Amino acid sequence: MVSWKRRRNVNSAGVHLALFEAVADDGTATADDAPTILLVHGWPDTHVVWDGVAAHLARHARVFAYDTRGMGDSDRPLPVSAYRIENLADDLFAVAAAVNPGGKVHVVAHDWGSIQSWEAVSRSGAATQIASFTSISGPSLDHVGALLRHNITHPTPRNLGTSISQMVSSTYIGLFHLPLLPRLFLGVLGSRRVWREFLHLMDGTPRDAITTAATLRRDMNSGVRYYRANIGRRLLFPSPRTVAVPVLELLNTRDFAIRPATFSTTHRYVTRLWRRDGATGHWLPSTHPAYIAENVRNLLATLDGDRLVPESFTRTRRFGPGQAFTGRLAVITGAGRGIGRETARALAELGCDVVLADVDTAGAEETARLCKESGSATAVYHLDVADTDAFIEFAKDVAREHGVPDIVVNNAATSLSGSSLDATDEQVDRLLEIDLRGVLTGCREFGRQMVTRGTGGHIVNLASAAAFTPQRGLGIFAAAKAGVLLYGESLRAELAEHHIGVSTICPAVSGAPAPDEVAAQIVAAIRADKAVVPVAPEARIGYRIYRFTPWISRVIARRQGVGATRP
């Protein structure tokens, strides 16, 4: 827990801003040389929206927050012009100078706090006062204006779709520009109970997660001036500038107010940019404070030489065009060769950091070497997925040393061919322990971690076309893979409410596709959240035959044969 100590008022060109310092309730003292973090809230919040985030950061840093002009305990100037974004940026610099005179601050901002912080970090010389900027649910108005202008002057279905989607999400902004209706509307919405119900309906935010100030109704009405003073003039006449301050974007893919495509051009203007995507909603400071704190600590560790995250590689990395999975952590079993290696390489090329597990440690080390060529951070573990206890400990080690993974690929497998009547008990047990029980363990252990974290994720399980194309000589192998397929379908339904996707990949048995082709299909399945992916024409045809005319599959199976049982 954390409490806020009122420090003083900061004078910014005659406007007094209420400044607060976070104090850990256990009395933990912060080192004098600890980094200084400045939290900037949005509309219609005050500094108290940061309660949870500050609680996680206060033991490692000096944490400050302030009520922005017009909100909470700060002054409420009447003219709309007083709320221009240039004045809001001046406020931020004034507060930064007050909390760390002559030094720098790490800015973490949400919603309108992020919008005004973009104005601040875009100024020449901003890096002399701002060491880093973590942006949450608040784009640069200049970036958005330039993007909208480009979409209008270069109309394509995709560009127009992006613009229309964001305009629909932003219809409330038009309401805020009307003369009387906003006050009537916000008069009702300004009730704490009604506001909590509204956010729960729109964003799925748990009612008990919303922290509001006693000044909520007044803050809502004052904050309307932010929209009136800035939206029209900055979107119509954008002036995007190069940002030298290191920036981390925490992008919420389920944000009802700000669509993800709005941030698609940030990399054009920021020289050092990292990005993390999460299946999260708009009010991230309230719903996932630990997630924000983790990413802020990792960013500071990246910039300051791993001062805050010992014995761990960080998961914030440079974002650029084509790096769709930047900042995500992927765990791949059976990563020492074949499909596992190619999948690791494909994910690393798209920005993932990778944890590689295999019984063949030397092979996994070679995979790590190849992934590092793409700039990926890597870690290698020895793991026999048939050893359930070892697998459980491995999952705990990953979470402790590297964080909860965003992507898990249960790829480790073995095979068994020949008559099922000739197979030994040892052969059957070994195959089922690796091909089926290993997948179950990976899904359960990492699935629990993803659910607890609450920011979504994706699980990929490797099955086989044998799961739906019966063949003589593959009965036991097919039984294991059919189990993987049906378990994946069931788990997908179970985890859907947690925004965790589950994909089952089914490569062809005979004429098997190349590992890099399977890896490409795995990446595509993660991108599109596909349920079942047969790989190669034979597998795709077999899947449809078994679904719609299974009797044909049975006839074909009687006429096929597969070689002798493998030891």
Side-chain angles (χ1 to χ4, degrees):
M1 297 296 293
V2 72
S3 59
W4 294 100
K5 180 180 179 181
R6 178 71 176 265
R7 298 296 296 183
R8 60 187 174 90
N9 287 335
V10 176
N11 188 325
S12 176
V15 176
H16 294 91
L17 307 169
L19 176 64
F20 303 84
E21 182 175 7
V23 180
D25 283 354
D26 62 2
T28 303
T30 305
D32 292 339
D33 63 344
T36 302
I37 297 176
L38 179 60
L39 308 174
V40 190
H41 68 82
W43 179 92
D45 302 311
T46 66
H47 71 281
V48 299
V49 76
W50 296 110
D51 283 359
V53 176
H56 288 282
L57 293 174
R59 296 181 182 180
H60 305 282
R62 299 170 61 238
V63 179
F64 296 87
Y66 67 103
D67 292 343
T68 61
R69 62 171 63 198
M71 316 295 275
D73 292 339
S74 291
D75 286 354
R76 301 169 184 268
L78 290 178
V80 170
S81 60
Y83 294 85
R84 287 187 173 181
I85 200 169
E86 296 86 348
N87 298 329
L88 302 177
D90 289 341
D91 293 348
L92 191 153
F93 281 114
V95 174
V99 300
N100 195 13
K104 297 183 180 183
V105 300
H106 297 273
V107 174
V108 181
H110 173 250
D111 190 74
W112 263 100
S114 179
I115 293 173
Q116 61 191 289
S117 297
W118 275 112
E119 172 66 18
V121 299
S122 297
R123 290 186 178 177
S124 176
T128 62
Q129 279 188 267
I130 301 176
S132 73
F133 169 37
T134 299
S135 168
I136 308 166
S137 295
S140 162
L141 294 183
D142 292 313
H143 299 172
V144 176
L147 176 62
L148 291 176
R149 177 177 292 182
H150 176 270
N151 289 348
I152 292 172
T153 57
H154 299 77
T156 66
R158 181 175 182 179
N159 288 349
L160 293 177
T162 296
S163 300
I164 292 172
S165 175
Q166 183 55 60
M167 285 189 289
V168 170
S169 297
S170 303
T171 52
Y172 65 95
I173 296 177
L175 170 68
F176 287 172
H177 281 77
L178 298 177
L180 296 176
L181 197 57
R183 182 168 293 275
L184 297 175
F185 174 69
L186 297 176
V188 176
L189 199 60
S191 161
R192 294 191 193 182
R193 182 181 62 81
V194 174
W195 179 239
R196 290 190 178 100
E197 290 297 328
F198 176 78
L199 294 186
H200 180 70
L201 174 66
M202 295 297 296
D203 206 33
T205 306
R207 297 176 182 87
D208 58 358
I210 302 300
T211 303
T212 58
T215 54
L216 177 63
R217 185 173 280 109
R218 284 200 302 155
D219 296 339
M220 283 186 170
N221 283 288
S222 292
V224 167
R225 297 183 179 96
Y226 283 39
Y227 295 89
R228 293 175 175 175
N230 298 291
I231 295 296
R233 68 189 187 92
R234 295 307 288 264
L235 294 186
L236 291 175
F237 305 101
S239 178
R241 292 147 285 172
T242 300
V243 176
V245 173
V247 176
L248 166 63
E249 280 186 327
L250 295 184
L251 191 148
N252 305 309
T253 60
R254 295 191 300 108
D255 193 323
F256 75 94
I258 309 293
R259 309 310 302 159
T262 304
F263 302 92
S264 61
T265 60
T266 310
H267 63 273
R268 298 178 183 174
Y269 309 107
V270 182
T271 57
R272 298 183 67 189
L273 177 65
W274 294 263
R275 173 169 162 172
R276 287 294 309 276
D277 293 4
T280 43
H282 185 79
W283 254 265
L284 198 65
S286 297
T287 59
H288 296 85
Y291 174 72
I292 293 176
E294 174 198 9
N295 281 282
V296 171
R297 287 196 299 265
N298 282 350
L299 176 63
L300 269 60
T302 301
L303 298 174
D304 299 341
D306 208 20
R307 294 172 58 190
L308 301 181
V309 192
E311 300 179 4
S312 168
F313 62 66
T314 60
R315 293 190 287 119
T316 51
R317 299 185 45 226
R318 186 180 178 113
F319 172 72
Q323 287 189 295
F325 295 162
T326 291
R328 299 192 194 184
L329 175 65
V331 174
I332 302 112
T333 65
R337 59 188 176 90
I339 293 172
R341 172 175 291 176
E342 294 305 316
T343 301
R345 293 183 66 183
L347 292 174
E349 289 174 359
L350 290 172
C352 275
D353 293 331
V354 292
V355 172
L356 310 170
D358 204 303
V359 291
D360 177 12
T361 307
E365 291 286 0
E366 174 61 17
T367 303
R369 184 189 68 79
L370 295 170
C371 291
K372 289 176 182 177
E373 293 177 358
S374 300
S376 174
T378 65
V380 172
Y381 288 80
H382 178 272
L383 176 67
D384 180 354
V385 298
D387 186 339
T388 300
D389 291 339
F391 205 150
I392 292 172
E393 288 304 311
F394 164 70
K396 292 178 181 177
D397 289 343
V398 170
R400 180 175 57 252
E401 298 297 331
H402 314 298
V404 177
D406 305 288
I407 298 169
V408 173
V409 182
N410 290 304
N411 166 71
T414 188
S415 62
L416 183 66
S417 60
S419 171
S420 60
L421 304 182
D422 296 333
T424 66
D425 290 343
E426 290 78 11
Q427 289 174 326
V428 173
D429 290 345
R430 180 65 177 168
L431 181 133
L432 293 178
E433 287 169 354
I434 295 174
D435 286 23
L436 182 56
R437 183 57 187 265
V439 171
L440 296 180
T441 303
C443 289
R444 295 175 70 215
E445 295 305 312
F446 288 116
R448 287 169 181 154
Q449 293 180 10
M450 290 178 179
V451 168
T452 299
R453 182 182 62 179
T455 59
H458 205 97
I459 297 173
V460 177
N461 297 325
L462 267 292
S464 167
F468 47 75
T469 51
Q471 298 181 45
R472 296 173 60 188
L474 285 180
I476 297 172
F477 176 75
K481 293 304 184 181
V484 171
L485 175 59
L486 190 56
Y487 177 66
E489 292 273 57
S490 302
L491 186 65
R492 181 179 176 87
E494 183 177 338
L495 297 182
E497 64 184 275
H498 302 288
H499 308 284
I500 300 170
V502 180
S503 299
T504 305
I505 311 299
C506 303
V509 180
S510 60
D516 60 344
E517 180 182 350
V518 180
Q521 291 298 317
I522 290 173
V523 170
I526 297 170
R527 285 180 183 270
D529 189 20
K530 296 180 180 179
V532 179
V533 182
V535 184
E538 175 190 332
R540 289 190 285 272
I541 294 170
Y543 185 54
R544 285 159 179 78
I545 289 176
Y546 190 71
R547 288 182 64 191
F548 301 112
T549 55
W551 63 272
I552 295 179
S553 296
R554 299 184 190 111
V555 171
I556 294 174
R558 295 190 187 106
R559 299 181 179 180
Q560 287 180 331
V562 180
T565 302
R566 291 171 51 181

